[in-house]
Amino acid sequence: MSQLERDAIAAICLMAAFADGQPDDRERARIKTVVDGLSTDGGTPGADVSNQVYQRVIFRQTSAAQEAAQLSMPELKQLAYEMAVSVCDADGVASVAEQKFLTDLASACGISPEDAARHQSTVDQMSSVPMGSGGGGGASAAGASVGAAPSAAISSAAVAASQLDKDIDSSVRNYAILNGALELLPSGLASAAIIPLQMKMVYEIGKRYGYTLDRGHIKDFLATAGVGVTSQVVEGFASRIVGGLIENVGGRLIGRGAAGMLSGLGRAATGTAFAFATTYALGQVAKQYYAGGRTLSAIDLQAVFTKQSASAKGMYDQYRPRIEEQARNLNPSQILNMVRGA
């Protein structure tokens, strides 16, 4: 993939992120940082290039058609469209303005209206799956029965709390491994599933501590912890590109089929480690936040997320074999059902 094509994909991601005019300053700054990382050549940051990309999008000096024209192969155009759909749906079903942008982009990329509608419909369904559907959820830690002796009550509560803590840790690890595996799949739907799965994870953790959360609360929680949903999707795709899962070799794109996915596992570590670490850190932050009665401040939440993210990155090599094995056994055609059932 040439630098020109990387810049075009970066521009399309930016246009998708800003299509409805909603990202706040924090999200804009994070997306800009991701684009800086995407505009690289041989590992050298291309700050001047990325600034040019950012400015031509912000000042509307380009269009979806112009950027799509820079992509030399149908596979790259398909990738750009899938990325744009995932970005637009990151914070919920695409708005009217976002749908208009996606329609124009599909046309510019040579994607049939039927294929475009099918893909967008599936991503829309993932973005709107009810938080309480499927999944474990489970009961919150049970206290002692009425009439129990004080010492027995304390012991029972302590055992229940300890078991709850272990159960949540196990669930968080499973979600992190699953999202890491999804980043290794060639399907754009796989990356689109990561945010819905993270939101379901947070929902389940909140429920186990007695809180019934809605989608808006969970999005605010993620943003407060320092993980915007839109910028996270952009960063996930950027990691896949820079990490080499999507790479032009001999006229083909590694990562667009099962064999390509397996051969690209080593080079894809950046993207899958990011998904694993982010999911794990979010789960641990949610556990501390809801276990503590939602008393942590925004600064405290961000500090916990930073610490847990660093810890998860250190754990990645330990769990990498399980992530790769799960990626081999995942069926991309069942991703929507996976999100529904979590």
Side-chain angles (χ1 to χ4, degrees):
M1 185 185 301
S2 70
Q3 186 61 57
L4 188 64
E5 289 170 326
R6 284 189 179 188
D7 292 343
I9 290 176
I12 288 170
C13 281
L14 283 169
M15 284 188 279
F18 301 152
D20 63 355
Q22 294 302 312
D24 59 24
D25 291 341
R26 182 170 49 189
E27 275 281 70
R28 285 176 178 266
R30 183 59 193 156
I31 292 168
K32 173 64 166 58
T33 300
V34 174
V35 172
D36 288 346
L38 187 56
S39 294
T40 62
D41 187 5
T44 302
D48 291 341
V49 174
S50 62
N51 283 332
Q52 291 173 15
V53 172
Y54 191 82
Q55 289 175 14
R56 75 181 186 231
V57 171
I58 292 297
F59 294 113
R60 300 185 180 182
Q61 297 170 342
T62 187
S63 67
Q66 287 175 285
E67 299 300 335
Q70 303 300 320
L71 303 176
S72 61
M73 292 181 291
E75 292 90 346
L76 283 177
K77 293 181 179 181
Q78 179 72 29
L79 168 67
Y81 176 73
E82 290 177 356
M83 290 175 70
V85 173
S86 296
V87 170
C88 287
D89 274 43
D91 57 354
V93 175
S95 66
V96 173
E98 289 171 328
Q99 289 174 359
K100 172 65 166 59
F101 167 76
L102 292 173
T103 298
D104 292 344
L105 177 63
S107 176
C109 290
I111 298 170
S112 71
E114 295 77 16
D115 288 344
R118 188 180 306 111
H119 182 83
Q120 186 173 343
S121 174
T122 303
V123 177
D124 283 349
Q125 290 180 64
M126 286 195 292
S127 299
S128 58
V129 168
M131 290 291 96
S133 66
S140 59
S145 61
V146 176
S151 59
I154 293 172
S155 175
S156 176
V159 169
S162 176
Q163 186 59 49
L164 176 63
D165 188 74
K166 292 178 181 177
D167 289 347
I168 290 176
D169 281 346
S170 177
S171 176
V172 168
R173 281 194 298 271
N174 288 338
Y175 269 107
I177 289 168
L178 173 59
N179 278 349
L182 287 172
E183 272 294 12
L184 291 175
L185 296 185
S187 171
L189 290 176
S191 290
I194 289 175
I195 297 293
L197 285 169
Q198 288 176 346
M199 295 180 74
K200 288 179 77 71
M201 175 186 70
V202 172
Y203 173 88
E204 290 171 10
I205 293 171
K207 184 177 180 182
R208 299 197 72 172
Y209 286 109
Y211 298 97
T212 300
L213 313 174
D214 60 25
R215 193 177 298 274
H217 174 92
I218 296 173
K219 286 193 294 184
D220 289 343
F221 170 80
L222 266 62
T224 302
V227 187
V229 291
T230 304
S231 59
Q232 188 182 167
V233 171
V234 176
E235 186 162 2
F237 274 112
S239 296
R240 298 179 79 187
I241 293 172
V242 174
L245 182 59
I246 303 159
E247 182 177 306
N248 185 2
V249 178
R252 294 188 302 107
L253 286 180
I254 287 179
R256 301 307 294 180
M261 183 272 286
L262 294 175
S263 67
L265 285 174
R267 290 181 297 279
T270 301
T272 191
F274 169 77
F276 171 83
T278 300
T279 303
Y280 180 86
L282 280 173
Q284 293 299 324
V285 172
K287 184 178 77 169
Q288 291 191 41
Y289 183 61
Y290 296 110
R294 301 196 293 189
T295 58
L296 291 177
S297 68
I299 293 176
D300 290 336
L301 282 174
Q302 292 165 19
V304 173
F305 177 80
T306 299
K307 178 181 178 180
Q308 292 294 340
S309 182
S311 175
K313 289 174 183 175
M315 295 162 51
Y316 171 70
D317 285 342
Q318 175 186 349
Y319 288 99
R320 181 171 175 173
R322 288 178 60 182
I323 292 170
E324 294 178 357
E325 180 62 25
Q326 185 150 2
R328 292 183 177 94
N329 294 323
L330 286 174
N331 185 344
S333 67
Q334 297 176 341
I335 288 174
L336 176 56
N337 288 334
M338 188 186 309
V339 173
R340 286 172 173 157

